[in-house]
Amino acid sequence: MDFMRLEYYIPAMPLRPFIKLYAFYSIEKERKIRPIKFIPMGMPYVVFNLEDGFSIDKSNLDKIIPADGSIITGQQVNYYFLVPRGNLTSLSVIFQPAGLYRLLHVPVHEMIDYGYPAEAIVKDKLKILYENLLANKKDVSKLISLLNTFFLSQLKLMNNRYGYIEYALNCICKTHGLVSISRLRDQINTSDRTFRRRFLEMVGISCKKYIGLVRLNHIMNAVKNQQPLNINWCQIACSSGYYDQMHFIKCFKCFCGENPTSFIERYHDPKHAPEKYFLLASE
């Protein structure tokens, strides 16, 4: 029988505009763990692997990404599977959409749909932090304290240019993705070219693609606890800005790898309990 511990922690108050959550998960196994499906949330993250290695199997790649140390992952626009190779214990920093750019100054627009060893992106910036995390992996409160201390120190190095991007991100989230780029641009009073360039630079994907992710995540979270037969997908599609139900289903399958009804059935399946938990981060 597997022992599973999955917990979210809120970062220190000054970090909340840049970090959404810390996620600690530990799965000790006596049998093979099935691959865990992750769906794009619109948020980049750093994963500190604290025990056995794991792999990331992506539908849009012809190779598997190994993850034995700490990895930095940019915006994901395709679903993927995490494949444990043993006991799985990891600590993740789930950033706000522009938080990875703000706090670690990485070129997020070059990291779409892929994860890289942290040392390849930020050199030794995370080395001491990672060593301290490994040394304290049995004490979760200490792990969270170490993360807060490190990222609070990064605030001192942060520049606050282009704050209108965070304003636009907030508008997109508040409207659940039902806002046009032209309306956003008018509200922040900047040129179309500048807005699109800065959004891509700081968030890692285009504004149009990010709006699509927010819209689909909102729909998914709104219906995930309902029974499939009680869901009116046509009504949801029309009220969520899609041309019709077929357009919505096509977008959902690209996003999730399965049609909406299959996703709901998977969500209710006890065999996929870890996936159900990880989806909480997108709310």
Side-chain angles (χ1 to χ4, degrees):
M1 185 175 182
D2 299 332
F3 169 77
M4 185 167 61
R5 180 180 178 183
L6 305 167
E7 298 167 350
Y8 287 123
Y9 296 87
I10 299 173
M13 182 68 74
L15 294 172
R16 294 177 194 176
F18 313 104
I19 298 175
K20 182 174 184 180
L21 291 167
Y22 301 133
F24 176 82
Y25 42 100
S26 180
I27 304 176
E28 298 177 6
K29 69 184 186 68
E30 294 179 0
R31 56 181 168 79
K32 184 178 180 181
I33 305 174
R34 67 179 65 246
I36 302 169
K37 182 188 247 185
F38 282 77
I39 296 168
M41 297 185 296
M43 293 172 283
Y45 47 91
V46 172
V47 180
F48 297 100
N49 183 23
L50 304 179
E51 203 158 346
D52 296 328
F54 59 88
S55 301
I56 296 173
D57 186 2
K58 299 185 69 66
S59 61
N60 62 321
L61 297 176
D62 58 1
K63 60 182 178 179
I64 292 178
I65 304 169
D68 295 312
S70 53
I71 62 170
I72 295 179
T73 302
Q75 288 282 3
Q76 304 298 298
V77 295
N78 288 279
Y79 65 94
Y80 66 91
F81 290 93
L82 185 152
V83 186
R85 299 203 297 266
N87 292 331
L88 177 65
T89 302
S90 294
L91 183 64
S92 296
V93 181
I94 303 173
F95 292 91
Q96 299 289 4
L100 180 59
Y101 174 88
R102 291 289 192 198
L103 292 176
L104 292 182
H105 318 292
V106 302
V108 289
H109 62 288
E110 298 177 5
M111 301 171 60
I112 297 175
D113 242 12
Y114 207 81
Y116 296 86
E119 62 269 19
I121 304 299
V122 294
K123 298 185 178 179
D124 293 332
K125 185 179 289 187
L126 298 178
K127 183 179 179 181
I128 294 176
L129 172 62
Y130 184 42
E131 291 171 352
N132 288 333
L133 293 174
L134 286 172
N136 293 275
K137 65 181 181 180
K138 299 297 184 181
D139 185 347
V140 180
S141 62
K142 179 64 174 177
L143 296 178
I144 302 307
S145 177
L146 287 167
L147 290 178
N148 279 330
T149 299
F150 173 80
F151 285 108
L152 285 170
S153 71
Q154 289 299 113
L155 283 178
K156 302 172 185 176
L157 307 174
M158 189 183 72
N159 73 68
N160 294 306
R161 293 182 300 171
Y162 320 125
Y164 56 80
I165 296 299
E166 275 92 353
Y167 176 83
L169 289 165
N170 188 50
C171 290
I172 294 168
C173 291
K174 279 187 174 181
T175 60
H176 308 306
L178 292 176
V179 62
S180 67
I181 297 176
S182 60
R183 181 181 172 189
L184 289 173
R185 191 183 64 243
D186 291 343
Q187 289 183 6
I188 60 180
N189 193 29
T190 189
S191 70
D192 181 67
R193 181 181 179 185
T194 297
F195 174 68
R196 291 176 187 270
R197 185 173 72 251
R198 294 306 180 197
F199 195 98
L200 179 63
E201 178 185 3
M202 294 177 61
V203 181
I205 53 177
S206 70
C207 185
K208 179 179 179 181
K209 197 170 288 289
Y210 179 76
I211 286 173
L213 291 182
V214 169
R215 190 181 302 178
L216 286 164
N217 270 286
H218 173 69
I219 293 170
M220 180 180 65
N221 283 304
V223 304
K224 66 186 181 184
N225 291 314
Q226 299 181 37
Q227 294 301 317
L229 293 177
N230 297 331
I231 302 173
N232 187 331
W233 293 115
C234 183
Q235 182 180 18
I236 289 172
C238 293
S239 63
S240 300
Y242 294 93
Y243 302 128
D244 53 35
Q245 186 173 348
M246 291 306 297
H247 177 222
F248 162 66
I249 291 174
K250 180 180 179 180
C251 291
F252 196 96
K253 287 187 73 173
C254 290
F255 162 75
C256 191
E258 54 194 329
N259 64 50
T261 299
S262 296
F263 164 77
I264 295 297
E265 291 172 348
R266 182 187 185 93
Y267 183 83
H268 289 290
D269 188 339
K271 292 184 295 185
H272 299 291
E275 297 176 8
K276 186 174 183 178
Y277 169 80
F278 288 124
L279 281 171
L280 293 174
S282 65
E283 292 183 344

